[in-house]
Amino acid sequence: MRRTYSQLITFCIFILVGLGSGRSISASELEIRTISAGTGAVAELGMKVSVHYTGTLLDGTVFDSSIPRQKPFEFILGKGQVIKGWEQGILGMKVGEKRKLFIPPDLAYGESGAGASIPPNSELVFDVELVKVGYPPKLTGVSTEQLIQAQKNNVLIVDIRRPDEWLETGIIDGAITITAFTQDGNLDPQFREIFFPLVKGLDENILLYCRSGSRSAMIGNALVDQLGYTNVMHLSGGIVEWENQGFKTVEYESE
């Protein structure tokens, strides 16, 4: 099939644009190029990964980079905390590995773009280096026997129930009483004011309990997942399990 002169010109321009960018701007799939291999642990789903990166548009314009900040970016792989192109492009990397990711719009910010730096329907290019991987801390459920051991180790034990519940059953000896939820299920406004001044740091050992374990699990997971506490436990069966196993409580003295 013979091309007209104008068709040839258009075809040549398309080729030149493609050569200039190193990419076809109509690409619809993620492209991963390994720049240098790593030798460390592999990034797997559920891991907390630490990454240095520089992001550019196809014309080379830098819109963000962790390098000047001298602080890697951290997120949990597979939790949807970053764009899909990162989820797919960083999965399987080894610590020390460097990759270049060519991310199409549907795996980046799509038709919406991102602020003034990333226009709608932008294909993005990221130079990424995997710095560190590891599994994030999780809330630990403990038994009554483990709580007794925690008492001996001077762990911060907090009864997060309401005053009427403390009066009804008493409390576990040595526990600090701080109400976490109001009667209607909302977070008690005083919890933050009382709880956080008691905690010395994000790595302090904390053990929470409530009636059956559901409320302590909610607060415990929030402390770990949202605030970064690393050593949070809760009594899985709550005060109900404690009493059913014949352990005693002490009387709560109302202020």
Side-chain angles (χ1 to χ4, degrees):
M1 180 177 178
R2 301 180 64 182
R3 291 188 174 90
T4 64
Y5 180 76
S6 61
Q7 287 174 323
L8 287 173
I9 292 295
T10 301
F11 178 74
C12 289
I13 291 175
F14 176 78
I15 292 295
L16 289 174
V17 170
L19 290 175
S21 65
R23 290 277 297 160
S24 167
I25 59 174
S26 62
S28 60
E29 295 182 358
L30 172 70
E31 180 181 332
I32 301 173
R33 296 181 187 174
T34 300
I35 306 303
S36 59
T39 57
V42 178
E44 300 177 352
L45 292 177
M47 281 186 166
K48 185 176 184 179
V49 299
S50 179
V51 178
H52 263 310
Y53 70 92
T54 296
T56 66
L57 304 178
L58 280 182
D59 63 5
T61 301
V62 176
F63 58 81
D64 192 18
S65 176
S66 66
I67 306 299
R69 296 190 289 271
Q70 299 182 342
K71 183 179 181 181
F73 177 71
E74 295 183 340
F75 68 98
I76 298 177
L77 196 58
K79 290 288 188 178
Q81 298 174 348
V82 293
I83 58 175
K84 293 180 180 179
W86 267 44
E87 294 276 21
Q88 299 175 20
I90 292 174
L91 182 65
M93 287 184 74
K94 292 183 177 181
V95 172
E97 181 177 347
K98 295 181 179 180
R99 287 182 178 181
K100 185 179 285 287
L101 309 178
F102 295 89
I103 304 177
D106 60 332
L107 296 181
Y109 296 98
E111 297 179 356
S112 301
S117 301
I118 302 177
N121 298 310
S122 292
E123 183 176 1
L124 307 179
V125 181
F126 282 95
D127 291 289
V128 295
E129 177 184 2
L130 186 61
V131 177
K132 183 174 64 175
V133 299
Y135 284 101
K138 294 182 178 180
L139 174 67
T140 302
V142 300
S143 64
T144 52
E145 290 78 9
Q146 289 171 308
L147 190 149
I148 292 172
Q149 186 59 47
Q151 288 175 312
K152 298 176 182 178
N153 294 334
N154 295 318
V155 171
L156 178 62
I157 301 175
V158 183
D159 186 324
I160 65 167
R161 298 178 298 157
R162 299 184 305 274
D164 61 296
E165 295 177 284
W166 301 330
L167 289 170
E168 179 183 355
T169 66
I171 63 174
I172 295 175
D173 191 23
I176 295 172
T177 52
I178 311 174
T179 298
F181 295 100
T182 60
Q183 183 72 47
D184 56 8
N186 293 320
L187 184 67
D188 192 294
Q190 291 189 332
F191 179 79
R192 179 185 296 271
E193 299 175 12
I194 301 174
F195 176 79
F196 291 109
L198 296 175
V199 182
K200 299 175 183 177
L202 295 178
D203 59 348
E204 181 170 358
N205 291 307
I206 303 168
L207 197 160
L208 311 171
Y209 74 88
C210 61
R211 179 183 178 277
S212 61
S214 58
R215 284 173 287 176
S216 58
M218 292 175 61
I219 289 293
N221 280 317
L223 292 174
V224 173
D225 297 338
Q226 300 176 26
L227 300 179
Y229 286 85
T230 58
N231 295 307
V232 183
M233 302 166 281
H234 83 117
L235 184 60
S236 300
I239 197 75
V240 171
E241 179 183 353
W242 180 268
E243 292 184 315
N244 287 342
Q245 293 189 8
F247 294 104
K248 303 299 182 180
T249 60
V250 296
E251 183 179 355
Y252 168 67
E253 296 182 2
S254 177
E255 295 181 0

